[in-house]
Amino acid sequence: MARCPICNAETAPDWRPFCSRRCADVDLARWMGERYVVEGRDGEADPDAAASIKDADDTPPRRH
């Protein structure tokens, strides 16, 4: 049986990979509080992401 990454209890099907809503909320709070970090290479930017942001900024708002 899989274990909850927060408290190590058995996972619940409704909350997989967690055991409960509480542990799911704890995990979300850790992400929101920047306790988890996805590592990347320093100084490396995704040129496609930068281009899409630039394109979005140049687009005037649409009127209905």
Side-chain angles (χ1 to χ4, degrees), residues 1 3 11 14 17-18 21 31-32 37-38 45 47 54-55 59-60:
M1 173 63 76
R3 306 303 255 169
T11 60
D14 289 345
F18 307 103
R21 180 182 182 125
W31 278 106
M32 302 281 293
V37 179
V38 176
K54 181 183 179 302
D55 292 343
T59 306

Side-chain angles (χ1 to χ4, degrees), residues 14-58:
D14 289 345
W15 298 104
R16 246 179 77 195
F18 307 103
C19 66
S20 65
R21 180 182 182 125
R22 178 197 167 279
C23 284
D25 288 345
V26 167
D27 184 70
L28 178 60
R30 289 178 181 174
W31 278 106
M32 302 281 293
E34 298 182 1
R35 288 184 56 194
Y36 296 146
V37 179
V38 176
E39 294 293 327
R41 291 183 230 164
D42 290 338
E44 183 178 60
D46 181 359
D48 294 330
S52 66
I53 292 170
K54 181 183 179 302
D55 292 343
D57 290 343
D58 292 341

